Amino acid sequence: MERRSWGRVRVSGRRRARWGVVALVAGLVAGLLPVTAASAANTVTVYYQPPAAWGASVNIHYGVDGAAWTPVPGVAMDAACTGWRRKTIDLGAATGLQVVFTNGTGTWDNNNGANYRLGTGTVTVAGGRVTPAAPDPCGPPPAPDTTAPTVPTGLRATVDAVTVTLTWAASTDDRAVTGYEVTRTGGTAGPVTVTATGTRHVAGGLAPRTAYRWTVRARDAAGNWSAASAPVTATSGDAPPASAGGSPLGGDPREDSIYFVMTARFADGDPSNNRGGSQHVRSGNAANDDPMFRGDFQGLIDKLDYVKALGFSALWITPVVLNRSDYDFHGYHGWDFHRVDPRLESPGASYQDLINAAHAKGIKIFQDVVYNHSSRWGAKGLFTPTVYGVRDEQWKWYYDQPQAGREYDPMVEHDGADPTLTPAQNALAKGRTYTGDLWSSQAPPDNRCLRWGTPNGTYSREGYTVHHCQWPVPTSGLFPADLYHQCWIGNWEGEDSRSCWLHEDLADFNTENPQVQQYLIDVYNRFIDMGVDGFRVDTAVHIPRVTWNRRFLPAIQQHAVARHGEKGKDFYVFGEVAAFVNDKWNRGSVNHSAQFFTWKERREYSPDDVRAAIEQYDYEQLLGTGNQPTSDNAFLRGNDYHVPDHSRFSGMHVIDMRMHMNFGDAHNAFGNGRDSDDSYNDATYNVVYVDSHDYGPNKSSVRYTGGTDAWAENMSLMWTFRGIPTLYYGSEIEFQKGARIDCGPSCPLATTGRAYYGAHLAGNVTAADFGVVANATGTVAQTLQKPLVKHVQRLNQIRRAVPALQKGQYSTEGISGNQLAYKRRYTAGGVDSFALVTVSGGATFSGIPNGTWTDAVTGDVKVVTNGTLTASVSGKGNLRVYVLARPGNPAPGKIGDTGPYLR
């Protein structure tokens, strides 16, 4: 995520209007709607199904929002029908209430201490589950649904080599369409039938130059099927040529640990592509001879052995698409999503070359991608705004004379030596790129921007007059509403945070629009084709989950499998759901909590994505935190591993924001992580880090300053607890500790957490294996001797040798003596790996299997005959990992050399 940037920040209260109760109340307050008996009544009718043992006495104890609770034990509920009690409650001006239930004799149903949160209308509560807008359970049963959906129409096929993309118009139904069935005939195989949730299906891996025929039919919730659509036929093309290394490595991502680099700030392999941009002098970077675009793919290729020598088997790199803004080295201001930024590439060191080189060393590439927004100048091939400009005496330094056929090229910067400009204007122009493709003094024929070209009453920092429509903002009408949202975020935990701009440099895509969806699907499919191993999704929380689940995630999964087969099934997607709070649910908003995005939808919504997004938001907010799905996929059952249930998995894993926020120390992170794990689909896939390019723990604006011992302890926890450990570049030497992570061009990059790292990598290093240095010379040899480097190398070696530490479920049952202790087990196929872990202190493990346990840190052997093992350990960051010898799975013994913390 990149919210911090330079420029003029405009604040607006505009946001997309919410439907339903909010709109009604607003209308009443404004006097726009008549107050009728129907609209004045604001009630909820609660149907409750009590446990059978309760008998006839059932009370409801409730508190209407803003009012006091009823006296204990509440008020009696009326008999409704067999098994149900009913009560209608007047809410007055409120829109919701909290309730619990009791039999009046001391037995309570209080939703496990969380209370039930209800809204208006008819609501049922049964078995701990709230159903809003529910049918009357005591009314006549609904008529059976015997009406089939309409036949899908408009079936089209688009051929791309041996992949065919099918699209069709949505069917309709008297209740709801729940999905489609696509049937293919042709080729050497028999008929092939697959299901689809949306109106698009990608058929990949077809035989070349072969005719195929498809039909589609629709299904509703009652199991009624439409007739098949009119068929469409298409002949596949030639198979694409195999690209060297253009295939992902595959394998379970939990077996990896991740090293996160900002490519432009890591290692400079080719100085000829360095660029400082228009802010080079103003930022202070020029004084340090430190252009913002300094590192590149060549530098990464040159230093892959450093990454491997640390023990990491995956690289997370910042976005690679061509950016366009005045301070865009980070990659989050994408403009041409079809093109890799040339400031990162060199002859012989293209992005494909980096992917191939990394794979050759066994290192995966997880690419940072942005679906939520483009740059302030839009997205090439979708929409780029034409802004007002004039080459007068004030602005001719900024606006280039348009030249036919010329467009933005970040490799070509002004040198600040234009004889027609004053020295001050030349200083402003230096480093700026061509702008003649952006502006016009005449409003374009399709102009939607109000007050085109008139002064808006503000001035630039140089004192120059600023005009309406001169700079892209969402509320001016400069961007079309069908392609871009047109509001600023007002409430970061509200519905508008999913449909408004974060910042003026981050033009917010209208991701509910099929045209935008297809644009983004197509551009990111290209990178899947190049063989990247996964996507880290920036600002995922700012797109509705239903849009991810219906559109983007299925498209990623389908294309990865169509292109890469079995390896494509391992394509790893992890989203940034930025919840900067320390509670389980982000300020009580389920729609803005990380774990929410790991789940499929629980009901059908309108086919229209705009309406579906609002319906989903309201439905899930009303259900609240106490009625979200839960899972024990991360937990052992006693000492036993169980096959996880991923049937409700959305396709997106997440960054563990709660652990991140609490990594001021390892104990806080561990306790908070455990508390949230039942609400993820599978927390063993969470990406876990202490700090990043955005924030340190507890939303700190500086790089981690907890101290070397605390770093060691945090690492020991991350590498042995559930989740995928991730380290931000340089943290292995406490690089830039205490420095501001980012301050835009108001200070030099060299003074921030995004400083250039290459000076610490000078020289040569060769890795003999993951975490093992064969030889090293120069400064990098000294870097590799740092205490945290030695620590992370050995942690990576241990984790790679013990499957339980990579993929195991965990438990804290039967453990005493240390709060940072747990047991982990992974059992699959011929693997049975069981480990007992204690960090920074001794612990006793009771109720464990008897047998021989060997510590991977010291090699100590303990033979357990009474189900109890006591592990002795002292020193912050020190660790014991006792591994049980199992049939066919011997304990590995001591792994690696004794180091500064693991001893």
Side-chain angles (χ1 to χ4, degrees):
M1 176 175 57
E2 178 60 30
R3 290 180 184 165
R4 309 174 206 85
S5 184
W6 80 286
R8 305 166 182 82
V9 178
R10 293 169 171 80
V11 179
S12 169
R14 284 189 59 182
R15 54 173 289 185
R16 186 168 69 185
R18 291 281 307 282
W19 299 343
V21 173
V22 173
L24 175 62
V25 173
L28 292 172
V29 171
L32 299 177
L33 298 175
V35 179
T36 65
S39 62
N42 195 28
T43 63
V44 57
T45 298
V46 182
Y47 284 87
Y48 178 63
Q49 190 176 61
W54 278 23
S57 177
V58 178
N59 285 8
I60 181 170
H61 177 44
Y62 64 88
V64 174
D65 292 351
W69 282 69
T70 56
V72 176
V75 297
M77 300 188 76
D78 303 320
C81 57
T82 303
W84 289 93
R85 297 294 187 272
R86 176 179 58 203
K87 193 67 178 178
T88 298
I89 300 168
D90 187 349
L91 301 180
T95 59
L97 75 167
Q98 296 184 73
V99 307
V100 296
F101 304 93
T102 177
N103 65 357
T105 60
T107 302
W108 290 83
D109 175 3
N110 63 0
N111 193 26
N112 295 317
N115 302 338
Y116 291 100
R117 173 74 187 169
L118 312 181
T120 58
T122 300
V123 181
T124 61
V125 182
R129 181 180 177 85
V130 174
T131 304
D136 184 344
C138 296
D145 180 4
T146 59
T147 303
T150 60
V151 178
T153 59
L155 181 61
R156 297 180 56 194
T158 303
V159 178
D160 179 10
V162 292
T163 297
V164 174
T165 300
L166 301 167
T167 58
W168 58 91
S171 297
T172 59
D173 187 67
D174 60 334
R175 302 192 184 181
V177 174
T178 57
Y180 298 89
E181 182 182 78
V182 182
T183 300
R184 183 188 84 208
T185 57
T188 57
V192 176
T193 299
V194 296
T195 58
T197 56
T199 56
R200 181 176 184 271
H201 171 68
V202 179
L206 303 175
R209 294 186 173 275
T210 302
Y212 292 92
R213 178 181 183 272
W214 285 270
T215 59
V216 181
R217 60 178 184 152
R219 181 183 187 276
D220 64 17
N224 299 307
W225 288 96
S226 75
S229 68
V232 64
T233 59
T235 300
S236 58
D238 292 325
S243 57
S247 175
L249 291 178
D252 193 319
R254 296 174 297 176
E255 296 173 3
D256 300 300
S257 57
I258 303 172
Y259 192 67
F260 170 36
V261 302
M262 300 191 81
T263 305
R265 307 303 300 158
F266 185 64
D268 187 6
D270 180 7
S272 70
N273 60 13
N274 293 356
R275 293 296 182 273
S278 64
Q279 303 302 301
H280 189 48
V281 174
R282 176 175 172 261
S283 65
N285 290 337
N288 293 309
D289 192 22
D290 183 27
M292 60 173 183
F293 270 89
R294 190 172 178 182
D296 48 35
F297 294 147
Q298 184 64 68
L300 268 176
I301 291 171
D302 292 344
K303 301 304 177 185
L304 285 172
D305 268 80
Y306 173 76
V307 175
K308 187 168 184 175
L310 293 177
F312 293 96
S313 55
L315 267 174
W316 157 15
I317 61 172
T318 41
V320 303
V321 302
L322 176 57
N323 270 225
R324 187 168 193 175
S325 82
D326 292 298
Y327 215 59
D328 54 11
F329 64 93
H330 42 70
Y332 299 98
H333 296 172
W335 182 70
D336 188 346
F337 287 73
H338 295 90
R339 184 181 176 193
V340 174
D341 201 306
R343 292 167 289 188
L344 300 175
E345 293 193 304
S346 310
S350 67
Y351 187 33
Q352 186 68 68
D353 291 327
L354 170 64
I355 295 168
N356 296 347
H359 286 173
K361 292 185 180 295
I363 298 173
K364 295 179 180 178
I365 296 290
F366 294 146
Q367 178 184 327
D368 214 324
V369 294
V370 186
Y371 285 75
N372 177 67
H373 58 263
S374 67
S375 73
R376 69 163 72 183
W377 305 113
K380 185 181 177 183
L382 181 69
F383 174 80
T384 56
T386 298
V387 300
Y388 171 78
V390 59
R391 299 193 79 246
D392 59 13
E393 287 305 310
Q394 290 188 346
W395 288 104
K396 66 181 180 181
W397 65 272
Y398 189 84
Y399 294 111
D400 292 310
Q401 189 68 43
Q403 301 175 34
R406 186 179 178 189
E407 65 176 8
Y408 167 66
D409 183 350
M411 298 298 290
V412 180
E413 296 184 338
H414 287 258
D415 61 8
D418 188 337
T420 69
L421 301 180
T422 67
Q425 290 173 331
N426 265 312
L428 289 170
K430 187 172 184 178
R432 185 180 50 76
T433 52
Y434 176 69
T435 62
D437 57 334
L438 289 177
W439 67 276
S440 171
S441 58
Q442 299 296 318
D446 60 348
N447 174 57
R448 305 172 185 83
C449 190
L450 304 176
R451 298 180 292 279
W452 175 273
T454 59
N456 67 9
T458 66
Y459 299 87
S460 72
R461 62 175 59 90
E462 298 82 21
Y464 300 155
T465 300
V466 177
H467 304 80
H468 287 288
C469 311
Q470 189 171 3
W471 304 103
V473 293
T475 55
S476 67
L478 194 64
F479 284 81
D482 59 331
L483 302 178
Y484 282 87
H485 293 133
Q486 298 194 316
C487 51
W488 295 107
I489 291 179
N491 177 4
W492 288 92
E493 277 75 43
E495 193 281 325
D496 59 330
S497 74
R498 310 183 311 160
S499 57
C500 298
W501 288 34
L502 303 169
H503 189 275
E504 65 175 358
D505 267 334
L506 309 176
D508 198 83
F509 285 128
N510 181 355
T511 48
E512 298 90 332
N513 182 336
Q515 181 182 350
V516 175
Q517 293 167 358
Q518 197 60 54
Y519 174 86
L520 292 166
I521 288 168
D522 289 342
V523 296
Y524 287 126
N525 278 349
R526 175 197 172 192
F527 297 106
I528 295 174
D529 292 343
M530 293 175 73
V532 298
D533 301 274
F535 287 158
R536 179 268 187 184
V537 181
D538 182 74
T539 50
V541 69
H542 299 296
I543 295 175
R545 185 183 75 177
V546 67
T547 305
W548 284 115
N549 284 349
R550 295 209 303 200
R551 311 303 177 200
F552 296 131
L553 294 173
I556 292 171
Q557 294 156 0
Q558 286 181 17
H559 193 78
V561 173
R563 179 73 178 189
H564 301 297
E566 286 300 311
K567 289 183 178 180
K569 294 179 181 179
D570 295 324
F571 194 89
Y572 180 54
V573 179
F574 61 105
E576 178 206 30
V577 181
F580 299 123
V581 292
N582 298 315
D583 49 6
K584 182 172 182 175
W585 296 98
N586 184 14
R587 295 187 176 92
S589 175
V590 295
N591 280 280
H592 299 86
S593 300
Q595 55 269 48
F596 182 74
F597 283 76
T598 66
W599 297 95
K600 288 181 177 179
E601 303 308 325
R602 294 187 278 173
R603 54 160 285 190
E604 290 295 320
Y605 301 103
S606 299
D608 175 72
D609 282 5
V610 174
R611 182 180 292 272
I614 301 293
E615 290 173 351
Q616 182 227 39
Y617 182 90
D618 288 339
Y619 176 76
E620 296 289 357
Q621 290 295 95
L622 184 58
L623 284 178
T625 61
N627 296 289
Q628 294 301 309
T630 59
S631 168
D632 69 347
N633 283 339
F635 306 122
L636 293 173
R637 295 174 178 171
N639 288 321
D640 296 328
Y641 178 88
H642 61 94
V643 176
D645 176 9
H646 294 150
S647 62
R648 295 179 292 166
F649 173 52
S650 67
M652 180 189 290
H653 298 289
V654 290
I655 296 169
D656 197 317
M657 296 303 292
R658 192 173 182 196
M659 287 194 74
H660 165 51
M661 284 289 98
N662 286 279
F663 256 121
D665 67 74
H667 286 82
N668 273 343
F670 178 60
N672 279 273
R674 288 173 56 202
D675 181 51
S676 296
D677 282 355
D678 65 343
S679 57
Y680 295 98
N681 180 267
D682 191 342
T684 67
Y685 287 87
N686 286 9
V687 166
V688 182
Y689 59 59
V690 173
D691 64 354
S692 73
H693 59 320
D694 280 320
Y695 294 106
N698 203 26
K699 207 176 180 182
S700 168
S701 61
V702 301
R703 286 196 72 158
Y704 186 69
T705 58
T708 309
D709 290 354
W711 250 126
E713 185 176 61
N714 288 342
M715 289 179 181
S716 291
L717 173 63
M718 287 194 293
W719 262 256
T720 57
F721 187 43
R722 60 95 184 118
I724 303 173
T726 300
L727 200 68
Y728 182 39
Y729 81 95
S731 291
E732 64 272 21
I733 63 168
E734 295 181 90
F735 182 59
Q736 297 296 96
K737 64 178 179 180
R740 288 174 291 184
I741 293 174
D742 175 42
C743 54
S746 62
C747 69
L749 279 168
T751 66
T752 73
R754 299 172 173 187
Y756 177 66
Y757 191 59
H760 298 276
L761 303 176
N764 296 292
V765 57
T766 302
D769 199 350
F770 291 98
V772 181
V773 178
N775 58 72
T777 61
T779 304
V780 70
Q782 300 172 29
T783 299
L784 290 166
Q785 294 300 314
K786 300 290 185 180
L788 289 179
V789 169
K790 294 295 186 183
H791 189 52
V792 77
Q793 286 175 317
R794 194 166 184 215
L795 286 171
N796 271 318
Q797 292 172 2
I798 292 171
R799 189 175 186 273
R800 290 178 66 85
V802 183
L805 302 184
Q806 305 164 14
K807 299 172 285 191
Q809 296 162 345
Y810 77 93
S811 171
T812 58
E813 294 177 359
I815 302 173
S816 60
N818 184 14
Q819 294 180 344
L820 276 181
Y822 33 93
K823 53 187 177 182
R824 299 194 65 189
R825 190 173 192 176
Y826 175 75
T827 307
V831 175
D832 187 1
S833 177
F834 198 163
L836 309 176
V837 180
T838 182
V839 181
S840 299
T844 296
F845 300 84
S846 302
I848 61 173
N850 292 330
T852 301
W853 298 78
T854 305
D855 178 29
V857 176
T858 64
D860 178 54
V861 177
K862 293 185 183 296
V863 178
V864 173
T865 59
N866 62 353
T868 301
L869 184 152
T870 297
S872 300
V873 59
S874 62
K876 194 167 187 177
N878 200 2
L879 179 70
R880 294 292 179 265
V881 181
Y882 280 92
V883 181
L884 176 64
R886 300 284 297 166
N889 293 267
K894 181 179 179 180
I895 301 168
D897 298 326
T898 300
Y901 292 98
L902 300 182
R903 56 187 188 274

